[in-house]
Amino acid sequence: MEKARPLWSNPLQFVFACISYAVGLGNVWRFPYLCQMYGGGSFLVPYVIMLLVEGMPLLYLELAVGQRMRQGSIGAWRTISPYLSGVGVASVVVSFFLSMYYNVINAWSFWYLFHSFQDPLPWSVCPLNANRTGYDEECEKASSTQYFWYRKTLNISPSIQESGGVQWEPALCLLLAWLLVYLCILRGTESTGKVVYFTASLPYCVLIIYLVRGLTLHGATNGLKYMFTPKIEQLANPRTWINAATQIFFSLGLGFGSLIAFASYNEPSNNCQKHAIIVSLINSSTSIFASIVTFSIYGFKATFNYESCLQKVILLLINSFDLEDGSVTADNLEQVKSYLASTYPSEYSAIAPQIHNCSLESELNTAVQGTGLAFIVYTEAIKNMEVSQLWSVLYFLMMLLLGVGSMLGNTMAIITPLTDSKFISSLLPREVISGLVCLINCAIGLVFTLESGNYWFDIFNDYAATLSLLLIVLVEAVALCYVYGLRRFERELQAMTGRALSWYWKILWAVVSPLLMVGLFIFYLSDYILAGTLQYQAWDASQGQLVTRDYPPYALAVIGLLVAASTMCVPLVALGTFVLRRLKRGDTAPVS
């Protein structure tokens, strides 16, 4: 007899799994950046609208498909139509690409977490040079946090062409990160269901602690004012709406097959509509909550840098012109500068290059996202806090939990279709399948621990999923409504859950969400085409800063393969199914 499908112990476990998967690093390091770039508080207007017309309906669609078909992404879409198996295959390929590089972030979090127990924190001061006569030149030109990230953590090469060797310390951290993921998914829903309680809830505890600390920091209000001050003119910018739609789409983890896999372990009568609303609201609320925490710390950092800049200028003027201590303050600095420039023009012009233009606004305007925000900006703020080791441990523990929670969903999206396959599951037990998936991903992931690894990480992060996911979810919505039939699915959903599908969901599934997907797909496609030669940011150690370089031809070929590998699954599998059916029909045709 066929084994019964495993189930979540209770509906709460399923909700926690979805929250743990959806609430990830993007909520902490992408959403605050978008708020900063696109109008502060006014960005919430397009964000909430896109949540209602795109995020919530598509999340409900994926959960409903998984719960109804009770299979992973490949099996679910094959049930809807044999020609649509490629949609599931594409989801697995994208999840595989994501798993290859995403766990490297968890490896970096482990690396920083281990170093957080040192006093002082290793990124708080520049190391001495080889002669021990001064500080390291690269560190002095950059900053101690940038130096620790680019030199000590990544040991980054000057360009993508110079691969360098594997950095054994990050490689060991990557091995540890994959071992942790394997232990969490070892028993399927039995083990994952217990882990998600921690990966979903503990980050909120850390965020709340950080909020209390952040609001008490000097200058926190400057950051919060900056965040909540709306720039209404940004609402007329199409990119504001496009980025709001994109953030909702990727933040919920649509198209990877993880949500379909999670929902396939539900009881058929489960109220997936209610859970879709809960998960999407919690996910978006977390983004806003994390932004408040981020901007309070951002305000502290900006104020600290601004006041440090003022103190350096004041000290320079006092020493250069032999002024009395306390005679120059932040309030009268501009008047003193004007007086000295007019009274002692030659002396003032000699030191003018050393007098920096200190501006709180320019400090707050410095927009950073991704690893730059997580491992440079945050560490810059943490090193200036009292008991900095404690705040560092808490922050990187939160990063690790968010990362592991998302990785559980990514690996589940790969493993569920494999274990659903009768052929594969008859040959190998679930534990071995899970182990092989983790081992293969870990082995390929060692590429990202090379000296050029961070450049390859950026390629995968920028190009492995964007276009592919938009195409996958567009095909999902169209296939369900127009191939399988919206009325048919509506009847089955009502029979399964006992609840009728409202007109709101039907209109969004059939018309609004697909049109939005088409719009986003065209935008990204045209953006890639109009961008011309693709470029990347390389670290120049001699200048202590990032410089822009063109990707070499082989890197462009890899980018093309990443995009094609998943997007082409949909038409190729459909074509293969069509050919196989024609051949079978030919074989069974009667001989005249």
Side-chain angles (χ1 to χ4, degrees):
M1 283 182 66
E2 199 176 317
K3 274 202 318 185
R5 189 169 189 79
L7 295 171
W8 299 106
S9 298
N10 54 68
L12 187 65
Q13 213 172 61
F14 165 68
V15 172
F16 268 81
C18 289
I19 292 168
S20 177
Y21 165 67
V23 175
L25 298 169
N27 299 73
V28 175
W29 70 25
R30 172 81 177 151
F31 183 81
Y33 165 80
L34 292 175
C35 275
Q36 194 174 5
M37 287 292 289
Y38 297 105
S42 56
F43 181 73
L44 296 177
V45 175
Y47 183 75
V48 170
I49 291 170
M50 290 301 172
L51 170 68
L52 297 173
V53 301
E54 177 204 28
M56 224 178 260
L58 293 173
L59 177 62
Y60 180 26
L61 184 146
E62 289 207 346
L63 295 184
V65 166
Q67 190 168 307
R68 165 66 187 88
M69 305 306 168
R70 300 185 61 71
Q71 295 183 76
S73 54
I74 297 175
W77 292 108
R78 188 193 294 121
T79 304
I80 286 171
S81 170
Y83 294 103
L84 292 172
S85 300
V87 179
V89 175
S91 292
V92 171
V93 170
V94 173
S95 292
F96 185 73
F97 286 157
L98 187 76
S99 296
M100 281 196 297
Y101 78 87
Y102 197 92
N103 219 18
V104 178
I105 302 169
N106 293 333
W108 293 332
S109 296
F110 264 127
W111 167 258
Y112 270 81
L113 181 63
F114 296 150
H115 282 82
S116 296
F117 294 96
Q118 295 182 29
D119 185 21
L121 291 172
W123 54 83
S124 61
V125 288
C126 284
L128 295 174
N129 58 25
N131 301 326
R132 306 186 73 79
T133 54
Y135 292 118
D136 184 276
E137 188 182 350
E138 182 185 357
C139 187
E140 279 198 307
K141 286 181 179 176
S143 68
S144 56
T145 49
Q146 284 179 312
Y147 179 82
F148 187 82
W149 170 242
Y150 287 112
R151 187 54 53 215
K152 293 296 183 183
T153 305
L154 303 176
N155 192 23
I156 198 165
S157 61
S159 70
I160 196 170
Q161 287 99 322
E162 299 169 54
S163 296
V166 170
Q167 309 302 297
W168 69 269
E169 288 166 317
L172 285 176
C173 290
L174 180 64
L175 190 65
L176 180 61
W178 272 112
L179 181 62
L180 179 62
V181 170
Y182 175 65
L183 292 173
C184 292
I185 62 170
L186 186 60
R187 300 280 179 191
T189 52
E190 189 184 328
S191 55
T192 306
K194 293 180 177 67
V195 172
V196 292
Y197 287 126
F198 295 98
T199 57
S201 57
L202 283 181
Y204 288 99
C205 299
V206 177
L207 277 173
I208 290 166
I209 294 167
Y210 250 97
L211 178 66
V212 173
R213 178 64 183 126
L215 293 175
T216 60
L217 290 170
H218 173 57
T221 50
N222 292 326
L224 293 175
K225 276 182 202 167
Y226 186 88
M227 177 192 168
F228 286 110
T229 304
K231 296 168 187 166
I232 304 299
E233 68 277 5
Q234 282 291 343
L235 291 177
N237 182 357
R239 282 187 174 268
T240 304
W241 294 82
I242 286 161
N243 277 287
T246 308
Q247 175 62 14
I248 285 287
F249 183 87
F250 293 117
S251 178
L252 287 170
L254 302 167
F256 288 103
S258 306
L259 296 164
I260 292 175
F262 282 150
S264 72
Y265 299 110
N266 272 338
E267 290 280 2
S269 58
N270 182 63
N271 188 350
C272 53
Q273 176 185 305
K274 181 178 78 174
H275 291 156
I277 294 168
I278 290 169
V279 171
S280 52
L281 287 176
I282 288 175
N283 179 65
S284 296
S285 302
T286 305
S287 293
I288 297 165
F289 180 47
S291 291
I292 295 169
V293 176
T294 299
F295 273 93
S296 64
I297 290 167
Y298 213 74
F300 162 69
K301 175 189 166 289
T303 306
F304 183 90
N305 289 348
Y306 169 65
E307 291 178 352
S308 297
C309 177
L310 287 177
Q311 287 306 313
K312 284 176 185 175
V313 172
I314 290 168
L315 192 63
L316 177 67
L317 294 177
I318 288 172
N319 291 338
S320 300
F321 295 95
D322 201 24
L323 304 172
E324 283 185 33
D325 285 347
S327 61
V328 186
T329 63
D331 296 328
N332 69 0
L333 179 60
E334 291 306 315
Q335 291 95 318
V336 171
K337 281 163 69 177
S338 300
Y339 169 76
L340 294 172
S342 58
T343 312
Y344 310 101
S346 56
E347 291 93 334
Y348 188 85
S349 59
I351 64 162
Q354 300 173 56
I355 299 175
H356 297 290
N357 242 341
C358 304
S359 167
L360 180 61
E361 189 68 22
S362 64
E363 287 286 347
L364 288 166
N365 276 337
T366 309
V368 184
Q369 65 168 324
T371 51
L373 176 64
F375 298 107
I376 297 175
V377 174
Y378 253 96
T379 53
E380 182 78 37
I382 287 168
K383 77 174 188 180
N384 296 317
M385 292 182 189
E386 292 176 17
V387 202
S388 54
Q389 287 77 15
L390 171 65
W391 299 110
S392 185
V393 167
L394 282 173
Y395 176 69
F396 289 109
L397 183 63
M398 178 189 74
M399 287 276 292
L400 193 58
L401 289 167
L402 289 171
V404 169
S406 296
M407 277 304 301
L408 298 183
N410 295 335
T411 47
M412 188 80 90
I414 304 167
I415 291 164
T416 301
L418 296 177
T419 52
D420 283 348
S421 166
K422 290 176 184 176
F423 174 72
I424 295 172
S425 56
S426 66
L427 294 174
L428 300 167
R430 185 190 176 90
E431 292 82 0
V432 176
I433 295 170
S434 302
L436 285 172
V437 167
C438 293
L439 187 64
I440 292 166
N441 271 299
C442 183
I444 299 171
L446 290 174
V447 169
F448 305 109
T449 64
L450 295 169
E451 287 176 25
S452 62
N454 193 55
Y455 304 130
W456 290 109
F457 173 88
D458 286 339
I459 284 176
F460 272 72
N461 192 36
D462 292 340
Y463 302 106
T466 313
L467 280 172
S468 315
L469 290 178
L470 289 169
L471 180 66
I472 288 166
V473 179
L474 172 61
V475 175
E476 284 181 355
V478 171
L480 186 76
C481 295
Y482 302 105
V483 177
Y484 193 73
L486 184 54
R487 286 183 181 175
R488 176 185 173 188
F489 190 70
E490 181 189 359
R491 286 195 301 271
E492 291 176 354
L493 202 58
Q494 187 167 357
M496 184 173 71
T497 62
R499 294 168 189 86
L501 192 66
S502 77
W503 60 268
Y504 173 77
W505 303 112
K506 286 187 275 190
I507 290 172
L508 291 171
W509 284 359
V511 182
V512 180
S513 294
L515 286 176
L516 264 173
M517 293 295 101
V518 170
L520 286 174
F521 188 80
I522 291 169
F523 168 77
Y524 274 102
L525 202 59
S526 59
D527 209 36
Y528 287 146
I529 294 165
L530 295 172
T533 306
L534 298 179
Q535 297 178 316
Y536 68 103
Q537 297 286 298
W539 180 253
D540 189 331
S542 61
Q543 297 180 55
Q545 64 181 32
L546 293 167
V547 294
T548 304
R549 301 190 197 280
D550 291 341
Y551 275 121
Y554 66 86
L556 294 174
V558 171
I559 290 170
L561 284 171
L562 280 176
V563 175
S566 49
T567 52
M568 293 309 291
C569 288
V570 179
L572 287 178
V573 172
L575 181 63
T577 305
F578 175 75
V579 171
L580 285 172
R581 288 194 154 200
R582 295 286 292 182
L583 290 172
K584 277 186 182 177
R585 200 174 295 169
D587 289 343
T588 55
V591 180
S592 54

